[in-house]
Coordinates of all heavy atoms in Angstrom, one line a residue:
M1 N -70.2 3.7 -20.2 CA -69.6 3.0 -19.1 C -68.6 1.9 -19.6 O -67.5 1.8 -19.1 CB -70.7 2.3 -18.3 CG -70.2 1.7 -16.9 SD -69.6 3.1 -15.8 CE -68.7 2.1 -14.6
L2 N -69.0 1.3 -20.7 CA -68.1 0.2 -21.3 C -66.8 0.9 -21.8 O -65.7 0.3 -21.7 CB -68.9 -0.5 -22.4 CG -68.2 -1.8 -22.9 CD1 -68.4 -2.9 -21.8 CD2 -68.8 -2.2 -24.2
R3 N -67.0 2.1 -22.3 CA -65.8 2.8 -22.9 C -64.8 3.1 -21.8 O -63.6 3.0 -22.0 CB -66.3 4.1 -23.5 CG -66.3 4.0 -25.0 CD -66.7 5.4 -25.6 NE -65.6 6.0 -26.4 CZ -65.8 7.0 -27.1 NH1 -67.0 7.6 -27.2 NH2 -64.9 7.5 -27.8
L4 N -65.3 3.6 -20.6 CA -64.5 3.9 -19.5 C -63.6 2.7 -19.0 O -62.4 2.8 -18.8 CB -65.3 4.4 -18.3 CG -64.6 5.1 -17.2 CD1 -64.0 6.4 -17.6 CD2 -65.5 5.3 -16.0
I5 N -64.3 1.5 -18.9 CA -63.6 0.3 -18.5 C -62.5 0.0 -19.6 O -61.4 -0.4 -19.2 CB -64.6 -0.9 -18.4 CG1 -65.6 -0.6 -17.2 CG2 -63.9 -2.2 -18.2 CD1 -66.8 -1.5 -17.1
L6 N -62.8 0.2 -20.8 CA -61.9 -0.1 -21.9 C -60.7 0.8 -21.8 O -59.5 0.3 -21.9 CB -62.6 0.1 -23.3 CG -62.0 -0.6 -24.4 CD1 -62.3 -2.1 -24.4 CD2 -62.5 -0.1 -25.7
I7 N -60.9 2.1 -21.5 CA -59.8 3.1 -21.4 C -58.9 2.7 -20.2 O -57.7 2.7 -20.3 CB -60.4 4.5 -21.3 CG1 -60.9 4.9 -22.7 CG2 -59.3 5.5 -20.8 CD1 -61.8 6.1 -22.6
I8 N -59.6 2.4 -19.1 CA -58.8 2.0 -17.9 C -58.0 0.7 -18.2 O -56.8 0.6 -17.8 CB -59.7 1.8 -16.7 CG1 -60.3 3.1 -16.2 CG2 -59.0 1.1 -15.5 CD1 -61.5 3.0 -15.3
G9 N -58.6 -0.2 -18.9 CA -57.9 -1.4 -19.2 C -56.6 -1.1 -20.1 O -55.6 -1.7 -19.9
I10 N -56.8 -0.2 -21.1 CA -55.7 0.1 -22.0 C -54.5 0.8 -21.2 O -53.3 0.4 -21.3 CB -56.1 1.0 -23.1 CG1 -57.0 0.2 -24.1 CG2 -55.0 1.7 -23.8 CD1 -57.8 1.0 -25.1
I11 N -54.9 1.7 -20.3 CA -53.9 2.4 -19.4 C -53.1 1.4 -18.6 O -51.9 1.4 -18.5 CB -54.6 3.5 -18.6 CG1 -55.0 4.7 -19.4 CG2 -53.6 4.0 -17.5 CD1 -56.0 5.6 -18.7
Y12 N -53.9 0.4 -18.0 CA -53.2 -0.6 -17.2 C -52.2 -1.4 -18.0 O -51.1 -1.7 -17.6 CB -54.4 -1.5 -16.7 CG -53.8 -2.7 -15.8 CD1 -53.4 -2.4 -14.5 CD2 -53.8 -4.0 -16.3 CE1 -52.9 -3.4 -13.7 CE2 -53.3 -5.0 -15.5 CZ -52.9 -4.7 -14.2 OH -52.4 -5.7 -13.4
V13 N -52.6 -1.8 -19.2 CA -51.7 -2.6 -20.1 C -50.5 -1.8 -20.5 O -49.4 -2.3 -20.4 CB -52.5 -3.1 -21.4 CG1 -51.5 -3.6 -22.4 CG2 -53.5 -4.1 -21.0
V14 N -50.7 -0.5 -20.8 CA -49.5 0.4 -21.2 C -48.5 0.5 -20.0 O -47.3 0.4 -20.2 CB -50.1 1.8 -21.6 CG1 -48.9 2.8 -21.6 CG2 -50.7 1.7 -22.9
I15 N -49.0 0.7 -18.8 CA -48.2 0.7 -17.6 C -47.4 -0.6 -17.4 O -46.2 -0.6 -17.2 CB -49.0 1.1 -16.3 CG1 -49.4 2.5 -16.4 CG2 -48.2 0.9 -15.1 CD1 -50.6 2.9 -15.4
K16 N -48.0 -1.7 -17.6 CA -47.4 -3.0 -17.5 C -46.3 -3.1 -18.5 O -45.2 -3.6 -18.2 CB -48.4 -4.1 -17.8 CG -49.2 -4.5 -16.5 CD -48.6 -5.8 -16.0 CE -49.2 -6.1 -14.6 NZ -48.8 -7.4 -14.1
I17 N -46.6 -2.8 -19.8 CA -45.6 -2.9 -20.9 C -44.3 -2.0 -20.6 O -43.2 -2.4 -20.7 CB -46.2 -2.5 -22.2 CG1 -47.2 -3.6 -22.7 CG2 -45.1 -2.3 -23.3 CD1 -48.0 -3.3 -23.9
R18 N -44.6 -0.8 -20.0 CA -43.5 0.1 -19.7 C -42.6 -0.5 -18.6 O -41.4 -0.3 -18.7 CB -44.1 1.5 -19.2 CG -44.5 2.4 -20.3 CD -44.8 3.8 -19.7 NE -44.7 4.8 -20.7 CZ -44.8 6.1 -20.4 NH1 -45.0 6.5 -19.2 NH2 -44.7 7.0 -21.4
K19 N -43.2 -1.1 -17.7 CA -42.4 -1.7 -16.6 C -41.5 -2.8 -17.1 O -40.4 -3.0 -16.8 CB -43.4 -2.3 -15.5 CG -43.7 -1.3 -14.5 CD -44.5 -1.9 -13.3 CE -45.0 -0.9 -12.3 NZ -45.9 -1.5 -11.3
V20 N -42.1 -3.6 -18.1 CA -41.3 -4.7 -18.7 C -40.2 -4.2 -19.5 O -39.0 -4.7 -19.4 CB -42.3 -5.6 -19.5 CG1 -41.5 -6.6 -20.4 CG2 -43.3 -6.4 -18.6
L21 N -40.4 -3.1 -20.3 CA -39.4 -2.5 -21.1 C -38.3 -1.9 -20.2 O -37.1 -2.0 -20.6 CB -40.0 -1.4 -22.0 CG -40.8 -1.9 -23.2 CD1 -41.5 -0.7 -23.9 CD2 -40.0 -2.7 -24.2
K22 N -38.6 -1.3 -19.1 CA -37.7 -0.8 -18.2 C -36.7 -1.9 -17.7 O -35.5 -1.7 -17.6 CB -38.4 -0.1 -17.0 CG -37.6 1.1 -16.5 CD -38.3 1.7 -15.3 CE -37.4 2.8 -14.6 NZ -38.1 3.2 -13.4
K23 N -37.4 -3.0 -17.3 CA -36.6 -4.1 -16.8 C -35.6 -4.7 -17.9 O -34.5 -5.0 -17.6 CB -37.5 -5.3 -16.4 CG -37.9 -5.2 -14.9 CD -38.6 -6.4 -14.4 CE -39.0 -6.3 -13.0 NZ -39.8 -7.5 -12.5
L24 N -36.1 -4.7 -19.1 CA -35.3 -5.2 -20.3 C -34.1 -4.3 -20.5 O -33.0 -4.7 -20.7 CB -36.1 -5.2 -21.5 CG -37.0 -6.5 -21.7 CD1 -37.9 -6.4 -22.9 CD2 -36.1 -7.8 -21.9
N25 N -34.3 -3.0 -20.4 CA -33.2 -2.0 -20.5 C -32.2 -2.2 -19.4 O -31.0 -2.1 -19.7 CB -33.8 -0.6 -20.5 CG -34.2 -0.1 -21.9 OD1 -33.7 -0.6 -22.9 ND2 -35.1 0.8 -21.9
E26 N -32.6 -2.4 -18.2 CA -31.7 -2.6 -17.1 C -30.8 -3.8 -17.3 O -29.6 -3.8 -17.0 CB -32.5 -2.7 -15.8 CG -32.8 -1.3 -15.3 CD -33.9 -1.4 -14.1 OE1 -34.2 -2.5 -13.7 OE2 -34.3 -0.3 -13.7
S27 N -31.5 -4.9 -17.7 CA -30.7 -6.2 -17.9 C -29.7 -6.0 -19.1 O -28.7 -6.6 -19.2 CB -31.6 -7.4 -18.1 OG -32.4 -7.2 -19.3
K28 N -30.1 -5.2 -20.1 CA -29.2 -5.0 -21.3 C -27.9 -4.3 -20.8 O -26.9 -4.6 -21.3 CB -30.0 -4.0 -22.3 CG -30.5 -4.8 -23.5 CD -31.0 -3.8 -24.5 CE -31.9 -4.5 -25.5 NZ -32.6 -3.5 -26.4
N29 N -28.1 -3.3 -19.9 CA -26.9 -2.6 -19.4 C -25.9 -3.5 -18.7 O -24.8 -3.3 -18.7 CB -27.3 -1.4 -18.5 CG -28.0 -0.3 -19.3 OD1 -27.8 -0.2 -20.6 ND2 -28.8 0.5 -18.7
Q30 N -26.5 -4.5 -18.0 CA -25.7 -5.4 -17.3 C -25.0 -6.5 -18.2 O -24.2 -7.2 -17.7 CB -26.6 -6.2 -16.2 CG -26.9 -5.3 -15.1 CD -28.0 -5.8 -14.2 OE1 -28.6 -6.9 -14.5 NE2 -28.4 -5.1 -13.1
N31 N -25.3 -6.5 -19.5 CA -24.7 -7.4 -20.4 C -23.4 -6.9 -20.9 O -22.7 -7.6 -21.6 CB -25.6 -7.7 -21.6 CG -26.8 -8.6 -21.2 OD1 -26.7 -9.3 -20.2 ND2 -27.8 -8.6 -22.0
F32 N -23.0 -5.7 -20.5 CA -21.7 -5.2 -20.9 C -20.7 -5.0 -19.8 O -20.3 -3.9 -19.6 CB -21.9 -3.9 -21.8 CG -22.8 -4.1 -23.0 CD1 -24.0 -3.6 -23.0 CD2 -22.3 -4.8 -24.1 CE1 -24.9 -3.8 -24.1 CE2 -23.1 -5.0 -25.2 CZ -24.4 -4.5 -25.2
P33 N -20.4 -6.0 -19.0 CA -19.4 -5.8 -18.0 C -18.0 -6.0 -18.6 O -17.9 -6.6 -19.6 CB -19.7 -6.9 -17.0 CG -20.3 -8.0 -17.8 CD -20.9 -7.4 -19.0
G34 N -17.0 -5.4 -18.0 CA -15.7 -5.7 -18.5 C -15.2 -4.7 -19.6 O -14.0 -4.7 -19.8
T35 N -16.1 -4.0 -20.2 CA -15.7 -3.1 -21.3 C -14.8 -2.0 -20.7 O -13.8 -1.6 -21.3 CB -16.9 -2.5 -22.1 OG1 -17.8 -2.1 -21.1 CG2 -17.5 -3.5 -23.0
E36 N -15.2 -1.5 -19.5 CA -14.5 -0.5 -18.8 C -13.2 -1.1 -18.2 O -12.1 -0.4 -18.3 CB -15.3 0.1 -17.7 CG -15.7 1.6 -18.0 CD -16.6 2.1 -16.9 OE1 -16.2 2.3 -15.8 OE2 -17.7 2.5 -17.3
N37 N -13.3 -2.3 -17.7 CA -12.1 -2.9 -17.1 C -11.0 -3.2 -18.2 O -9.8 -3.0 -17.9 CB -12.5 -4.3 -16.5 CG -13.2 -4.1 -15.2 OD1 -13.1 -3.0 -14.6 ND2 -13.9 -5.1 -14.8
A38 N -11.5 -3.5 -19.4 CA -10.5 -3.8 -20.5 C -9.7 -2.5 -20.8 O -8.5 -2.5 -21.1 CB -11.3 -4.2 -21.7
R39 N -10.4 -1.3 -20.7 CA -9.7 -0.1 -21.0 C -8.7 0.3 -19.9 O -7.6 0.7 -20.2 CB -10.8 1.0 -21.1 CG -10.9 1.6 -22.5 CD -12.0 2.6 -22.6 NE -13.2 2.0 -23.1 CZ -14.4 2.4 -22.6 NH1 -14.5 3.4 -21.8 NH2 -15.5 1.9 -23.1
I40 N -9.1 0.0 -18.6 CA -8.2 0.2 -17.5 C -7.0 -0.6 -17.6 O -5.9 -0.2 -17.3 CB -9.0 0.0 -16.2 CG1 -10.0 1.1 -16.0 CG2 -8.0 0.0 -15.0 CD1 -11.1 0.8 -15.0
D41 N -7.2 -1.9 -18.0 CA -6.0 -2.8 -18.1 C -5.1 -2.5 -19.2 O -4.0 -3.0 -19.3 CB -6.6 -4.3 -18.3 CG -7.1 -4.8 -17.0 OD1 -6.9 -4.2 -15.9 OD2 -7.8 -5.9 -17.0
D42 N -5.5 -1.6 -20.1 CA -4.7 -1.2 -21.2 C -3.6 -0.2 -20.9 O -2.8 0.2 -21.7 CB -5.6 -0.7 -22.4 CG -5.0 -1.2 -23.7 OD1 -4.3 -2.1 -23.8 OD2 -5.4 -0.5 -24.7
V43 N -3.6 0.3 -19.6 CA -2.6 1.3 -19.2 C -1.2 0.8 -19.2 O -1.0 -0.4 -19.0 CB -3.0 1.9 -17.8 CG1 -4.2 2.7 -17.9 CG2 -3.0 0.9 -16.8
M44 N -0.2 1.7 -19.4 CA 1.2 1.3 -19.3 C 1.7 1.4 -17.9 O 1.4 2.4 -17.2 CB 2.0 2.2 -20.2 CG 1.6 2.2 -21.7 SD 2.0 0.6 -22.5 CE 3.7 0.8 -22.8
I45 N 2.3 0.4 -17.4 CA 2.9 0.4 -16.1 C 4.4 0.1 -16.1 O 4.8 -0.6 -17.1 CB 2.1 -0.5 -15.1 CG1 2.0 -1.9 -15.6 CG2 0.8 0.1 -14.7 CD1 1.7 -2.9 -14.6
K46 N 5.1 0.4 -15.0 CA 6.5 0.2 -15.0 C 6.9 -1.1 -14.2 O 6.3 -1.4 -13.2 CB 7.2 1.3 -14.3 CG 8.7 1.4 -14.6 CD 9.2 2.8 -14.2 CE 10.0 2.7 -12.9 NZ 10.6 4.0 -12.5
D47 N 7.7 -1.9 -14.8 CA 8.2 -3.1 -14.2 C 9.1 -2.7 -13.0 O 10.1 -1.9 -13.2 CB 9.1 -3.9 -15.3 CG 9.6 -5.2 -14.7 OD1 10.0 -5.3 -13.6 OD2 9.5 -6.2 -15.5
P48 N 8.8 -3.1 -11.8 CA 9.6 -2.7 -10.6 C 11.0 -3.2 -10.6 O 11.9 -2.8 -9.9 CB 8.8 -3.1 -9.4 CG 7.9 -4.2 -9.9 CD 7.7 -4.0 -11.4
F49 N 11.3 -4.2 -11.5 CA 12.6 -4.9 -11.5 C 13.5 -4.3 -12.5 O 14.6 -3.7 -12.2 CB 12.5 -6.4 -11.7 CG 13.8 -7.1 -11.6 CD1 14.4 -7.3 -10.4 CD2 14.5 -7.5 -12.8 CE1 15.7 -7.9 -10.3 CE2 15.7 -8.1 -12.7 CZ 16.3 -8.3 -11.5
C50 N 13.1 -4.3 -13.8 CA 14.0 -3.8 -14.9 C 13.6 -2.4 -15.3 O 14.2 -1.8 -16.2 CB 13.9 -4.8 -16.1 SG 12.4 -4.8 -16.9
E51 N 12.5 -1.8 -14.7 CA 12.0 -0.4 -15.0 C 11.7 -0.2 -16.4 O 11.8 0.9 -16.9 CB 13.1 0.5 -14.5 CG 13.4 0.3 -13.0 CD 14.1 1.5 -12.3 OE1 14.8 2.2 -13.0 OE2 13.9 1.7 -11.1
I52 N 11.2 -1.2 -17.1 CA 10.7 -1.0 -18.5 C 9.2 -0.8 -18.4 O 8.5 -1.4 -17.6 CB 11.0 -2.3 -19.3 CG1 12.5 -2.1 -19.9 CG2 10.0 -2.6 -20.4 CD1 13.0 -3.4 -20.6
Y53 N 8.6 0.0 -19.3 CA 7.2 0.2 -19.4 C 6.5 -0.8 -20.3 O 7.1 -1.0 -21.4 CB 6.8 1.7 -19.8 CG 7.0 2.7 -18.7 CD1 8.2 3.3 -18.5 CD2 5.9 3.0 -17.9 CE1 8.4 4.2 -17.5 CE2 6.1 3.9 -16.8 CZ 7.3 4.5 -16.6 OH 7.4 5.4 -15.6
F54 N 5.4 -1.3 -19.9 CA 4.7 -2.3 -20.7 C 3.2 -2.3 -20.4 O 2.8 -1.8 -19.3 CB 5.2 -3.7 -20.4 CG 5.1 -4.2 -19.0 CD1 4.0 -4.9 -18.7 CD2 5.9 -3.8 -18.0 CE1 3.8 -5.3 -17.3 CE2 5.8 -4.1 -16.7 CZ 4.7 -4.9 -16.4
P55 N 2.3 -2.8 -21.3 CA 0.8 -2.8 -21.0 C 0.5 -3.7 -19.8 O 1.0 -4.9 -19.8 CB 0.2 -3.4 -22.3 CG 1.3 -3.4 -23.3 CD 2.6 -3.4 -22.6
K56 N -0.3 -3.2 -18.9 CA -0.6 -3.9 -17.7 C -1.2 -5.3 -17.9 O -0.9 -6.3 -17.2 CB -1.5 -3.1 -16.8 CG -1.7 -3.6 -15.4 CD -2.7 -2.7 -14.7 CE -3.0 -3.3 -13.3 NZ -4.0 -2.5 -12.6
R57 N -2.1 -5.4 -19.0 CA -2.8 -6.6 -19.2 C -1.8 -7.7 -19.7 O -2.2 -8.9 -19.6 CB -3.9 -6.4 -20.2 CG -3.4 -6.0 -21.6 CD -4.6 -5.5 -22.5 NE -4.1 -4.7 -23.5 CZ -3.9 -5.1 -24.8 NH1 -4.0 -6.3 -25.1 NH2 -3.5 -4.2 -25.7
E58 N -0.6 -7.4 -20.1 CA 0.4 -8.4 -20.5 C 1.3 -8.7 -19.4 O 2.3 -9.5 -19.6 CB 1.1 -7.9 -21.8 CG 0.3 -8.0 -23.0 CD 0.9 -7.3 -24.2 OE1 2.2 -7.1 -24.2 OE2 0.2 -6.9 -25.1
G59 N 1.1 -8.0 -18.3 CA 2.1 -8.2 -17.1 C 1.9 -9.5 -16.4 O 0.9 -10.2 -16.4
H60 N 3.0 -9.9 -15.7 CA 3.0 -11.1 -14.9 C 2.8 -10.6 -13.4 O 3.6 -9.9 -12.9 CB 4.3 -11.8 -15.0 CG 4.5 -12.4 -16.4 ND1 4.4 -13.7 -16.6 CD2 4.8 -11.8 -17.6 CE1 4.6 -13.9 -17.9 NE2 4.8 -12.8 -18.5
H61 N 1.7 -11.0 -12.9 CA 1.2 -10.5 -11.6 C 1.9 -11.2 -10.4 O 2.2 -12.4 -10.5 CB -0.3 -10.7 -11.5 CG -0.8 -10.3 -10.1 ND1 -1.3 -11.2 -9.2 CD2 -1.0 -9.0 -9.6 CE1 -1.7 -10.5 -8.1 NE2 -1.5 -9.2 -8.3
L62 N 2.2 -10.4 -9.4 CA 2.8 -10.9 -8.1 C 2.2 -10.1 -7.0 O 2.2 -8.9 -7.0 CB 4.3 -10.8 -8.1 CG 5.0 -11.1 -6.8 CD1 4.9 -12.6 -6.5 CD2 6.4 -10.6 -6.7
K63 N 1.6 -10.9 -6.0 CA 1.1 -10.2 -4.8 C 2.3 -10.2 -3.8 O 2.7 -11.3 -3.3 CB -0.1 -11.1 -4.2 CG -0.8 -10.3 -3.1 CD -2.1 -9.7 -3.7 CE -2.8 -9.0 -2.6 NZ -3.9 -8.1 -3.1
Y64 N 2.8 -9.0 -3.5 CA 4.0 -8.9 -2.7 C 3.7 -7.9 -1.6 O 3.5 -6.7 -1.9 CB 5.2 -8.6 -3.5 CG 6.5 -8.5 -2.7 CD1 7.2 -9.6 -2.3 CD2 6.9 -7.2 -2.2 CE1 8.3 -9.5 -1.5 CE2 8.1 -7.1 -1.4 CZ 8.8 -8.2 -1.1 OH 9.9 -8.1 -0.3
D65 N 3.8 -8.2 -0.3 CA 3.7 -7.3 0.8 C 2.4 -6.6 0.7 O 2.3 -5.4 1.0 CB 4.9 -6.3 0.8 CG 5.2 -5.8 2.2 OD1 4.7 -6.4 3.1 OD2 5.8 -4.7 2.3
G66 N 1.3 -7.3 0.3 CA 0.0 -6.7 0.2 C -0.3 -5.8 -1.0 O -1.3 -5.2 -1.1
K67 N 0.8 -5.7 -1.8 CA 0.6 -4.9 -3.0 C 0.6 -5.7 -4.3 O 1.1 -6.8 -4.3 CB 1.8 -3.9 -3.2 CG 1.8 -2.8 -2.2 CD 3.1 -2.0 -2.3 CE 3.3 -1.1 -1.1 NZ 4.7 -0.6 -1.0
D68 N -0.1 -5.2 -5.3 CA -0.2 -5.9 -6.6 C 0.9 -5.4 -7.5 O 1.0 -4.3 -7.9 CB -1.5 -5.7 -7.3 CG -2.6 -6.5 -6.6 OD1 -2.5 -7.7 -6.4 OD2 -3.6 -5.8 -6.1
L69 N 1.9 -6.3 -7.8 CA 3.0 -5.9 -8.7 C 2.9 -6.6 -10.0 O 2.4 -7.7 -10.1 CB 4.4 -6.3 -8.0 CG 4.7 -5.6 -6.7 CD1 6.0 -6.2 -6.1 CD2 4.8 -4.1 -6.8
Y70 N 3.3 -5.9 -11.1 CA 3.3 -6.5 -12.4 C 4.6 -6.4 -13.1 O 5.3 -5.3 -13.0 CB 2.2 -5.7 -13.3 CG 0.8 -6.0 -12.8 CD1 0.3 -5.1 -11.8 CD2 0.1 -7.0 -13.2 CE1 -1.0 -5.3 -11.3 CE2 -1.2 -7.2 -12.8 CZ -1.8 -6.4 -11.8 OH -3.0 -6.6 -11.3
F71 N 5.1 -7.5 -13.6 CA 6.4 -7.5 -14.3 C 6.2 -7.8 -15.8 O 5.3 -8.4 -16.2 CB 7.2 -8.7 -13.6 CG 7.5 -8.4 -12.2 CD1 6.6 -8.9 -11.2 CD2 8.6 -7.7 -11.7 CE1 6.8 -8.7 -9.9 CE2 8.8 -7.5 -10.4 CZ 7.9 -8.0 -9.5
C72 N 7.2 -7.4 -16.6 CA 7.2 -7.5 -18.0 C 7.3 -8.9 -18.4 O 6.9 -9.3 -19.5 CB 8.2 -6.6 -18.7 SG 9.9 -7.2 -18.4
S73 N 8.0 -9.7 -17.6 CA 8.2 -11.2 -17.9 C 8.2 -12.0 -16.7 O 8.5 -11.4 -15.6 CB 9.4 -11.4 -18.8 OG 10.6 -11.1 -17.9
S74 N 8.1 -13.3 -16.8 CA 8.1 -14.2 -15.6 C 9.6 -14.2 -15.1 O 9.8 -14.4 -13.9 CB 7.6 -15.6 -16.0 OG 8.4 -16.1 -17.1
T75 N 10.5 -14.0 -16.0 CA 11.9 -14.0 -15.5 C 12.2 -12.8 -14.6 O 12.8 -13.0 -13.5 CB 12.9 -13.8 -16.8 OG1 12.4 -14.7 -17.8 CG2 14.3 -14.1 -16.4
C76 N 11.7 -11.6 -14.9 CA 11.8 -10.5 -14.0 C 11.1 -10.7 -12.7 O 11.6 -10.4 -11.7 CB 11.2 -9.2 -14.7 SG 12.3 -8.4 -15.8
R77 N 10.0 -11.4 -12.7 CA 9.2 -11.7 -11.5 C 10.1 -12.6 -10.6 O 10.2 -12.4 -9.4 CB 7.9 -12.3 -11.8 CG 7.0 -12.5 -10.6 CD 5.6 -13.0 -11.0 NE 5.8 -14.4 -11.5 CZ 4.8 -15.1 -12.0 NH1 3.5 -14.6 -11.9 NH2 4.9 -16.3 -12.4
E78 N 10.6 -13.6 -11.2 CA 11.4 -14.6 -10.5 C 12.7 -13.9 -9.9 O 13.1 -14.2 -8.7 CB 11.8 -15.8 -11.4 CG 10.7 -16.8 -11.4 CD 10.8 -17.7 -12.7 OE1 11.9 -17.9 -13.2 OE2 9.7 -18.1 -13.2
K79 N 13.3 -13.1 -10.7 CA 14.5 -12.4 -10.2 C 14.2 -11.4 -9.1 O 15.0 -11.3 -8.1 CB 15.2 -11.6 -11.4 CG 16.0 -12.5 -12.3 CD 16.6 -11.7 -13.4 CE 17.3 -12.5 -14.4 NZ 17.8 -11.8 -15.6
F80 N 13.0 -10.8 -9.2 CA 12.6 -9.9 -8.1 C 12.3 -10.6 -6.8 O 12.8 -10.2 -5.8 CB 11.2 -9.2 -8.5 CG 10.7 -8.3 -7.5 CD1 11.1 -6.9 -7.4 CD2 9.7 -8.7 -6.6 CE1 10.6 -6.1 -6.5 CE2 9.1 -7.9 -5.7 CZ 9.6 -6.5 -5.6
I81 N 11.7 -11.8 -6.9 CA 11.4 -12.6 -5.7 C 12.7 -13.1 -5.1 O 12.9 -13.0 -3.9 CB 10.5 -13.8 -6.1 CG1 9.1 -13.3 -6.5 CG2 10.4 -14.8 -4.9 CD1 8.3 -14.4 -7.3
A82 N 13.6 -13.5 -6.0 CA 15.0 -14.0 -5.5 C 15.7 -12.9 -4.8 O 16.4 -13.1 -3.8 CB 15.7 -14.5 -6.7
G83 N 15.7 -11.7 -5.4 CA 16.4 -10.5 -4.8 C 15.8 -10.2 -3.5 O 16.6 -9.8 -2.6
R84 N 14.5 -10.3 -3.3 CA 13.9 -9.9 -2.0 C 14.2 -10.9 -0.9 O 14.3 -10.5 0.2 CB 12.3 -9.7 -2.2 CG 11.9 -8.6 -3.1 CD 12.2 -7.3 -2.4 NE 12.6 -6.3 -3.4 CZ 12.2 -5.0 -3.3 NH1 11.4 -4.6 -2.3 NH2 12.5 -4.1 -4.3
S85 N 14.2 -12.2 -1.3 CA 14.3 -13.2 -0.3 C 15.7 -13.3 0.3 O 16.0 -13.9 1.3 CB 13.9 -14.6 -0.8 OG 14.7 -14.9 -2.0
E86 N 16.7 -12.7 -0.5 CA 18.1 -12.7 0.0 C 18.3 -11.8 1.2 O 19.1 -12.1 2.1 CB 19.0 -12.2 -1.1 CG 19.5 -13.3 -2.1 CD 20.2 -12.7 -3.3 OE1 20.7 -11.6 -3.3 OE2 20.2 -13.4 -4.3
K87 N 17.5 -10.7 1.3 CA 17.7 -9.7 2.4 C 17.1 -10.3 3.7 O 16.1 -11.0 3.7 CB 17.0 -8.4 2.0 CG 17.8 -7.7 1.0 CD 17.0 -6.5 0.4 CE 17.8 -5.9 -0.8 NZ 17.0 -4.9 -1.4
Ligands
LIG101 ZN1 11.2 -6.7 -16.7

């Protein structure tokens, strides 16, 4: 009878440890955000003003007409804004 209680106790402990390990694995996976985003930001995009291709992460962002625009330099961005406001 004592052996049975011991076996049940061991099984209980093993199940508990497994649950803790599962939680640890899940939190480990959450420790690597942004690795995918960094790869996405590395794409080449076209400057809508001077039509030069450059890496998106180095771009100068502008929210224009509900769209996200990226320029190769702040000068291009300013010229683009100036050009649009004239019309
Ligand atoms: Zn440009």
Side-chain angles (χ1 to χ4, degrees):
M1 192 61 193
L2 194 72
R3 254 183 118 170
L4 193 70
I5 292 166
L6 203 74
I7 288 164
I8 290 165
I10 288 166
I11 289 166
Y12 181 75
V13 167
V14 166
I15 288 165
K16 273 255 171 179
I17 289 168
R18 276 191 162 189
K19 274 186 184 175
V20 169
L21 285 175
K22 209 180 173 189
K23 269 190 182 177
L24 277 174
N25 274 335
E26 277 167 7
S27 61
K28 258 188 196 172
N29 289 338
Q30 285 166 357
N31 283 341
F32 302 106
T35 46
E36 248 174 65
N37 286 340
R39 248 176 267 146
I40 290 162
D41 284 348
D42 217 20
V43 292
M44 300 292 279
I45 52 163
K46 199 165 103 176
D47 185 317
F49 183 76
C50 68
E51 302 195 333
I52 275 174
Y53 281 91
F54 62 96
K56 190 181 176 183
R57 62 193 160 95
E58 285 170 24
H60 294 254
H61 177 250
L62 172 70
K63 192 99 179 169
Y64 180 82
D65 206 18
K67 287 174 195 166
D68 288 304
L69 298 176
Y70 293 89
F71 299 87
C72 69
S73 67
S74 56
T75 315
C76 276
R77 188 178 63 182
E78 277 156 32
K79 281 180 182 172
F80 178 83
I81 295 162
R84 292 292 147 141
S85 57
E86 273 171 23
K87 283 170 190 172

